[in-house]
Amino acid sequence: DSGSITIDGKDVTRLPEFKRAAYLGRVFQDPMMGTAPNMQLEENLALAAGHGGEDPGSVAGEIYEKDINLAVALAVREYIEHHASDIKVVMTRTGDTLVNYQEQVAVAEHEDADLLLILHTNSYSGTGRAIGTQGFYQTVRASKEIQAKNKALAEALTGAISEALETYNRGVSNKTADGLLDLNDHIPLSLVELGFITDEEEVAKLTSTVYQEKMGEAIGKVLIDTLYSYPVRTEEEEEP
């Protein structure tokens, strides 16, 4: 098959999904007006900023990873609240407090989250230069459906963030050194390392309000598109 997709005069045929989404609008049916009164349209997003409190994460001089993670997470929340009011954003922390991995998952489960995103910032102590955005997704104990969602989300996020940060896309992996992705087996989960705090050029962007807002918008667009594409939950599917 051949052809092209044009939206408002723009050829979007070869654009990745997270970019094409910017040209699309969605119209949702009011469940109470139709034939599915039990349908629930509100989506719940759990957003976790890694580290916090007495755990600064990676450190570069007076720059702490925990602060970068939180600043970007808040930018993501602000973007989503302004562009998708039907998505409830649950932050695992909004200040300088420590919420560990187990607690992040517990918050997501308590809030019936449809998706959990954990934000981190990378570091490198070897020789040479290390830059770029990298994503991680869960496969251990997860169903094939959840595995596919996790990988697709991680790929979309790393593509969007690396473009916003104007850096290298390091790709995605289903393994992390501490095995944190094994903590959850039913909520789609991705972890993203935004960039490298140890690279002088990259950390300048990571701490820039302008680039934090760019990353917030890029991540927000991917999350909105992802959540809107998930099957709608019904009351029968909710746990008692």
Side-chain angles (χ1 to χ4, degrees):
D1 295 337
S2 62
S4 62
I5 303 173
T6 303
I7 302 177
D8 196 22
K10 172 74 173 180
D11 186 350
V12 299
T13 309
R14 297 185 180 277
L15 290 182
E17 289 185 6
F18 69 88
K19 285 189 176 181
R20 191 181 301 167
Y23 297 91
L24 301 177
R26 296 175 174 81
V27 178
F28 291 93
Q29 176 189 14
D30 181 351
M32 303 308 295
M33 300 290 290
T35 58
N38 294 326
M39 194 174 287
Q40 178 177 326
L41 288 185
E42 182 179 75
E43 303 288 354
N44 295 333
L45 164 67
L47 192 56
H51 306 288
E54 64 272 22
D55 177 12
S58 299
V59 178
E62 297 182 356
I63 300 173
Y64 299 150
E65 176 191 352
K66 64 178 183 179
D67 297 329
I68 296 172
N69 300 339
L70 180 59
V72 176
L74 291 172
V76 174
R77 182 180 69 174
E78 181 176 1
Y79 181 87
I80 292 177
E81 287 180 345
H82 280 81
H83 293 84
S85 59
D86 55 335
I87 293 179
K88 176 184 176 182
V89 181
V90 178
M91 301 280 292
T92 60
R93 70 178 178 99
T94 57
D96 190 17
T97 55
L98 176 61
V99 181
N100 63 35
Y101 296 132
Q102 290 87 350
E103 292 168 335
Q104 291 169 355
V105 172
V107 169
E109 291 176 338
H110 180 266
E111 296 293 336
D112 293 324
D114 299 278
L115 186 155
L116 169 60
L117 173 62
I118 305 175
L119 298 179
H120 277 270
T121 305
N122 223 332
S123 66
Y124 179 67
S125 58
T127 58
R129 186 185 185 195
I131 63 170
T133 303
Q134 187 168 13
F136 297 89
Y137 63 97
Q138 179 196 23
T139 56
V140 177
R141 296 197 302 149
S143 67
K144 289 184 178 180
E145 180 183 6
I146 295 295
Q147 289 179 34
K149 288 181 177 180
N150 289 348
K151 184 177 181 180
L153 174 61
E155 290 174 338
L157 287 168
T158 53
I161 297 169
S162 61
E163 182 168 311
L165 198 59
E166 299 170 2
T167 190
Y168 177 62
N169 184 344
R170 302 177 67 91
V172 300
S173 171
N174 63 355
K175 296 181 180 179
T176 57
D178 48 18
L180 70 97
L181 299 186
D182 299 343
L183 296 175
N184 159 70
D185 62 0
H186 60 284
I187 301 173
L189 179 156
S190 288
L191 180 149
V192 176
E193 297 278 2
L194 299 167
F196 280 80
I197 196 172
T198 45
D199 182 78
E200 183 176 352
E201 179 180 338
E202 197 143 281
V203 75
K205 295 178 181 178
L206 291 168
T207 55
S208 161
T209 301
V210 172
Y211 278 95
Q212 288 172 353
E213 290 177 353
K214 286 183 178 181
M215 286 186 285
E217 178 180 353
I219 295 169
K221 286 180 177 178
V222 170
L223 294 177
I224 290 171
D225 189 55
T226 299
L227 285 169
Y228 282 171
S229 70
Y230 281 0
V232 177
R233 299 191 312 276
T234 64
E235 290 181 358
E236 286 78 8
E237 293 173 331
E238 301 284 340
E239 293 186 4

